[in-house]
Amino acid sequence: MDGQPEIVTKLSLWLQQAGDIAMGWLLSPAAWSQFALLVGAFIAARMITRRLQPALAPYLTPPEGKAGLTVTARLYLRRGLPLLLPLLAYAFTAMGEEVTRSLFGSGAVIAFGKRIFLFLAARIFVNEVLTDPFLRLLGRYVLIPIAAIYALGILTEITTRLEETIISLGNIRFSVMALIRGLIAGSLLFWLGSWSNRQSADYIKKQEELRPATRELAVKAAEVMIFGAAFLLLMSIMGIDLTAVAVLGGALGVGIGLGLQQIAANFVSGIILLVEGQTTVGDYVELDGGEKGTIIKMTARACVLETFDGRWIVVPNEHFITTRVVNYSDQGSANRYEAAFSVSYDTDINTIPDIIEEAVGRLPFVLKSPDGPDCELRGFGESSVDFAVEYWVNGIDDGKNRFGSPVLFAIWNALKEHDIEMPFPQRVVHLKQDPAPPAKPRRSKAEA
């Protein structure tokens, strides 16, 4: 074995030790009794599982159409029924281990069997119980290999070797085991944080008694607290001194002061918007820059507006603080619009307001409160008398709800019904010609 790599030498020693252990088990009566106990424990667990699974399944199946935390817990328990077999076998083996050790003074086979049952439970848990793709990936490449190494009885030796392997990055020194532990713990913590954030956001958004702005603020606050706690816990697990985090926070503050002013301004502006609640999700707004639409999302950096034609406009939060914003939805859902029209000078204009107000008032979307349709005389044009009718509707005339076109149709039909002319510009053109110049007298030949 001279000249062989160290890992090959150690693998050969492990295989030799495994062979010696297996040969000792085959020749030992105590080992045979432990094998018999393992087989008996497995058979007993299988028989009990066959009876328990059909009996427990109806109790763990929630009624259709139900939702809630209890329903979710029952579904997870029902999905975990396949774990009954290896866990029962592990429990029965653990009870028999004490008897075997008291009789024979040895329990190596029993301990190996217990680890095998745990390995089987880990495989079933990953393949049949877990449904989240990330958790299943983590279980397949982390949990199952660790369970296999543990079943072989070499987990302690491997972890010790990884603890002794040190990585140096400048003044920072950490072991490979600490790095692996940090990666696994970080993955689990931030997945748990993401799941908790989704659950808390769904719960907060269902609280209809809270204002929309208050709900959004609560969602953002919960998100910051959850991921902040996950980050600090990860630092503690990896053994990193939190004073280094304070130094990092100071450096980050300097960076914000020097080069990230706009990001910081937008973040603070977003918090102000959520606290004040003057603009929130669902409001129809118009900015000084001409952007207008319905706010469909508010993030820490910007608000997303959806226009009537389906386009999304991302507006930085700072614009809502430093510029003039018209919020059509702030005082309620009723809004006033007007439609202009003209009639001929031959019309009895005193009858126009009653005719138009009645025609527009019959439209189903026109409100009677806070005020009904109001037709007003606006002026005397060059070729027509100009009117406008004002009306209130419940909503925004943003393209999805076109109120102006039906109102104009109603005005047209009402005027035609009463034979009232809607004139168009006319011009009278007079053509003038210059008079013919006087004829010159003709001279005689003698004069010529």
Side-chain angles (χ1 to χ4, degrees):
M1 301 294 291
D2 294 339
Q4 294 291 339
E6 183 181 359
I7 187 172
V8 175
T9 303
K10 287 199 170 187
L11 183 60
S12 301
L13 290 176
W14 285 341
L15 291 176
Q16 184 177 358
Q17 291 175 3
D20 295 339
I21 292 173
M23 186 61 64
W25 287 354
L26 290 175
L27 299 178
S28 171
W32 280 103
S33 63
Q34 294 178 51
F35 276 121
L37 183 59
L38 288 175
V39 173
F42 180 79
I43 294 175
R46 188 174 183 83
M47 293 176 60
I48 295 176
T49 301
R50 285 183 176 180
R51 292 180 175 273
L52 279 180
Q53 280 188 343
L56 293 176
Y59 294 101
L60 299 178
T61 303
E64 294 184 3
K66 296 288 186 179
L69 184 61
T70 305
V71 172
T72 304
R74 291 171 68 179
L75 288 174
Y76 274 107
L77 290 175
R78 188 184 66 177
R79 197 178 293 121
L81 285 178
L83 289 172
L84 276 176
L85 176 60
L87 294 181
L88 284 175
Y90 178 87
F92 292 154
T93 305
M95 290 186 293
E97 182 180 9
E98 297 298 328
V99 178
T100 304
R101 289 187 182 276
S102 63
L103 293 177
F104 300 99
S106 173
V109 178
I110 288 287
F112 178 72
K114 286 170 56 180
R115 296 195 296 268
I116 291 295
F117 289 142
L118 282 181
F119 172 73
L120 294 177
R123 290 189 73 254
I124 294 174
F125 179 72
V126 171
N127 296 328
E128 301 186 29
V129 179
L130 293 180
T131 56
D132 185 84
F134 175 77
L135 289 182
R136 180 170 287 186
L137 180 68
L138 198 63
R140 189 172 297 166
Y141 293 102
V142 176
L143 180 60
I144 292 179
I146 290 177
I149 295 173
Y150 176 71
L152 295 175
I154 56 176
L155 181 61
T156 303
E157 186 174 349
I158 291 178
T159 54
T160 302
R161 182 60 184 270
L162 293 177
E163 289 284 0
E164 295 172 352
T165 305
I166 303 299
I167 298 177
S168 298
L169 295 176
N171 294 329
I172 302 176
R173 293 171 54 85
F174 54 89
S175 66
V176 175
M177 190 63 199
L179 178 62
I180 296 174
R181 190 186 302 116
L183 291 175
I184 296 174
S187 301
L188 288 175
L189 282 175
F190 281 96
W191 176 89
L192 183 61
S194 177
W195 179 84
S196 302
N197 183 49
R198 290 194 303 269
Q199 299 298 319
S200 62
D202 292 341
Y203 175 77
I204 294 171
K205 290 178 180 179
K206 291 178 182 177
Q207 308 306 310
E208 299 294 339
E209 65 274 9
L210 299 177
R211 296 175 62 252
T214 305
R215 292 199 296 266
E216 290 294 329
L217 180 61
V219 168
K220 297 301 178 186
E223 182 178 2
V224 171
M225 288 189 295
I226 289 172
F227 283 103
F231 177 75
L232 294 177
L233 185 58
L234 178 60
M235 294 297 101
S236 177
I237 291 174
M238 294 185 66
I240 298 177
D241 190 1
L242 293 181
T243 56
V245 179
V247 175
L248 179 62
L252 183 62
V254 174
I256 290 175
L258 294 178
L260 304 177
Q261 298 97 330
Q262 291 300 113
I263 296 177
N266 287 321
F267 181 77
V268 175
S269 299
I271 295 176
I272 294 174
L273 288 175
L274 293 174
V275 171
E276 290 185 347
Q278 294 191 2
T279 53
T280 186
V281 175
D283 287 354
Y284 187 89
V285 298
E286 181 177 359
L287 280 73
D288 264 353
E291 303 90 348
K292 57 182 179 180
T294 303
I295 300 177
I296 61 172
K297 187 177 182 181
M298 299 180 70
T299 65
R301 188 190 66 85
C303 293
V304 180
L305 307 184
E306 184 179 19
T307 63
F308 71 90
D309 53 358
R311 292 186 175 92
W312 282 18
I313 303 175
V314 180
V315 181
N317 290 328
E318 186 182 10
H319 290 195
F320 287 86
I321 301 297
T322 59
T323 62
R324 185 177 65 91
V325 179
V326 180
N327 190 342
Y328 291 92
S329 306
D330 189 41
Q331 298 299 327
S333 59
N335 293 279
R336 191 185 70 173
Y337 296 95
E338 68 173 37
F341 64 97
S342 302
V343 298
S344 171
Y345 273 101
D346 297 331
T347 306
D348 182 6
I349 62 174
N350 296 292
T351 62
I352 297 299
D354 294 336
I355 294 173
I356 299 303
E357 289 174 4
E358 180 184 0
V360 175
R362 287 198 299 264
L363 296 174
F365 55 81
V366 175
L367 303 178
K368 301 297 187 295
S369 177
D371 193 11
D374 181 23
C375 184
E376 299 176 350
L377 176 64
R378 292 296 175 86
F380 300 99
E382 294 182 358
S383 57
S384 63
V385 182
D386 300 328
F387 285 87
V389 59
E390 299 174 347
Y391 57 95
W392 289 80
V393 294
N394 190 16
I396 306 295
D397 192 358
D398 61 349
K400 298 178 182 177
N401 306 306
R402 293 301 299 176
F403 302 121
S405 179
V407 170
L408 292 176
F409 269 109
I411 294 172
W412 173 274
N413 295 329
L415 295 178
K416 289 298 181 182
E417 183 180 350
H418 291 82
D419 296 325
I420 298 173
E421 180 185 359
M422 298 183 67
F424 50 87
Q426 301 182 20
R427 298 290 184 269
V428 177
V429 181
H430 298 277
L431 299 178
K432 292 184 178 181
Q433 296 182 352
D434 294 336
K440 294 181 180 180
R442 298 180 64 183
R443 291 185 297 174
S444 61
K445 294 182 178 180
E447 294 174 343

